[in-house]
Amino acid sequence: MSIGLNEILLYFDDKNIKYEFTGNRHIYFSSFCPLNELKGDSITWVRNAADVPVEAMNSMNNILLIAELGSEVKGAEFPILYVENVHRSFFFVLEKFFSECDPVKRKAKIELSAVVDTADIGKEVYIGHHTYIGPKVKIGNNVIIYHNVTIDGNVSIGNDTVIESGVSIGGDGTGFYKDDNGNLIHVPHYGGIIIGSNVWIGSNSVIIRGCLGDTIIGDGTKISDLCCISHNDSIGRNTEITCGTFIAGSSAVGENVWIAPGTVINNSAHIGNGSYVGIGSVVLSKVKPNTKVFGYPAVKYKFDGFD
């Protein structure tokens, strides 16, 4: 497979992505590579122009660098395509021209070892090996559910959602009360789970169904591996929840929030829209919108280089 630079430029034109180009336009590529493993006939990208190994790239044939529009790579003798939002634009190119290189991309099917008790399944859905889908589950279009996943109860999954291997969705929470003899009695959970469209749920994460109402995951939200979303939590749109985060029950996380690895969020906490919660933080109550917090307990923090 060979991709010409002009094909990439036409693609950016079609998507109305702003760009500037320097160098030879008549070049072709057959692959891609990271900046620390350069190879010829490839495209690569950089977030910070100061990190470009200019001398090494000058010695290579047919290599294209994609960099942020407005930056400058000095001393470069190789082609550079400066684009807006370089991270997004580079992976647009990979998805458009190199999507067959994805090692786990699946065609729509239900694997023979899967147990699927619902008939409410949209178009172009993949369900992996040894996965169980309960009778009340609703699955939208273009959903990918990988292997060893359990989804049960009143669960609704929106279009274009990806659920990685080992995920549990719809289980009971750990709420208990004591009877007259001091024995712990489990509180039944009668609610469900609503998962929006274009959601990503990482491997071995757990989404617990609501107690009386529903647990809600908003459109576009991404949940990484080994996370726990508890009963009646509400997660807003386009929020990123990274590895090892635990969110206790009845908490509300707003839209466009970024939660760093190892964060713990207390019961009934509230995190406002656009906030940032730093690595290993413990949120006890409330984070105001557009606020960066760190630590135990998490408090507003400001230092040079991170405003």
Side-chain angles (χ1 to χ4, degrees), residues 85-105:
N85 195 336
V86 62
H87 192 185
R88 176 202 65 180
S89 297
F90 177 78
F91 285 95
F92 274 172
V93 170
L94 294 198
E95 182 65 22
K96 172 66 175 177
F97 297 104
F98 297 97
S99 61
E100 74 281 359
C101 297
D102 187 339
V104 296
K105 195 165 188 178

Side-chain angles (χ1 to χ4, degrees), residues 10-169:
L10 287 172
Y11 174 62
F12 282 171
D13 288 337
D14 288 341
K15 292 187 73 67
N16 295 316
I17 296 174
K18 295 179 181 179
Y19 65 85
E20 295 177 1
F21 177 75
T22 62
N24 177 17
R25 286 176 176 262
H26 303 290
I27 53 174
Y28 292 83
F29 320 97
S30 59
S31 187
F32 52 87
C33 63
L35 202 64
N36 61 348
E37 297 179 16
L38 295 171
K39 59 182 180 180
D41 301 314
S42 299
I43 63 173
T44 188
W45 75 289
V46 68
R47 195 188 304 271
N48 184 348
D51 295 333
V52 177
V54 174
E55 186 174 343
M57 294 187 70
N58 282 341
S59 66
M60 307 190 76
N61 293 321
N62 288 346
I63 190 163
L64 172 69
L65 176 70
I66 300 181
E68 188 67 44
L69 186 66
S71 64
E72 180 183 6
V73 179
K74 296 181 179 180
E77 299 171 3
F78 49 86
I80 302 176
L81 180 56
Y82 294 101
V83 297
E84 58 181 2
N85 195 336
V86 62
H87 192 185
R88 176 202 65 180
S89 297
F90 177 78
F91 285 95
F92 274 172
V93 170
L94 294 198
E95 182 65 22
K96 172 66 175 177
F97 297 104
F98 297 97
S99 61
E100 74 281 359
C101 297
D102 187 339
V104 296
K105 195 165 188 178
R106 305 288 181 175
K107 294 182 178 180
K109 68 179 295 189
I110 298 175
E111 300 289 359
L112 291 176
S113 61
V115 177
V116 179
D117 288 339
T118 183
D120 200 343
I121 300 176
K123 299 177 181 179
E124 299 298 313
V125 170
Y126 174 81
I127 299 176
H129 295 284
H130 305 291
T131 284
Y132 174 70
I133 309 293
K136 296 182 179 180
V137 176
K138 299 178 181 180
I139 301 174
N141 300 323
N142 304 306
V143 171
I144 298 174
I145 302 171
Y146 283 103
H147 319 296
N148 300 301
V149 172
T150 299
I151 306 176
D152 203 2
N154 293 311
V155 178
S156 174
I157 301 170
N159 299 334
D160 303 301
T161 285
V162 176
I163 299 170
E164 292 283 0
S165 296
V167 169
S168 173
I169 297 175

Side-chain angles (χ1 to χ4, degrees), residues 6 9 32 113 121 129 158 165 177 191 219 229 232 301:
N6 286 326
L9 298 182
F32 52 87
S113 61
I121 300 176
H129 295 284
S165 296
Y177 64 88
D219 293 346
I229 309 299
N232 300 105
Y301 194 55

Side-chain angles (χ1 to χ4, degrees), residues 99-264:
S99 61
E100 74 281 359
C101 297
D102 187 339
V104 296
K105 195 165 188 178
R106 305 288 181 175
K107 294 182 178 180
K109 68 179 295 189
I110 298 175
E111 300 289 359
L112 291 176
S113 61
V115 177
V116 179
D117 288 339
T118 183
D120 200 343
I121 300 176
K123 299 177 181 179
E124 299 298 313
V125 170
Y126 174 81
I127 299 176
H129 295 284
H130 305 291
T131 284
Y132 174 70
I133 309 293
K136 296 182 179 180
V137 176
K138 299 178 181 180
I139 301 174
N141 300 323
N142 304 306
V143 171
I144 298 174
I145 302 171
Y146 283 103
H147 319 296
N148 300 301
V149 172
T150 299
I151 306 176
D152 203 2
N154 293 311
V155 178
S156 174
I157 301 170
N159 299 334
D160 303 301
T161 285
V162 176
I163 299 170
E164 292 283 0
S165 296
V167 169
S168 173
I169 297 175
D172 270 340
T174 55
F176 297 89
Y177 64 88
K178 289 185 178 181
D179 66 12
D180 293 341
N181 297 316
N183 299 310
L184 289 171
I185 307 299
H186 183 256
V187 175
H189 288 56
Y190 296 107
I193 297 175
I194 300 172
I195 298 172
S197 296
N198 195 29
V199 170
W200 184 289
I201 301 174
S203 297
N204 300 310
S205 287
V206 176
I207 314 293
I208 297 169
R209 71 177 183 263
C211 183
L212 300 179
D214 294 326
T215 301
I216 300 172
I217 312 295
D219 293 346
T221 282
K222 314 302 180 189
I223 300 170
S224 191
D225 304 339
L226 299 168
C227 294
C228 180
I229 309 299
S230 299
H231 58 265
N232 300 105
D233 285 343
S234 177
I235 313 298
R237 294 164 51 92
N238 298 317
T239 281
E240 294 182 64
I241 301 173
T242 60
C243 294
T245 293
F246 173 80
I247 303 178
S250 301
S251 294
V253 178
E255 299 181 356
N256 300 300
V257 173
W258 200 89
I259 300 176
T263 292
V264 176

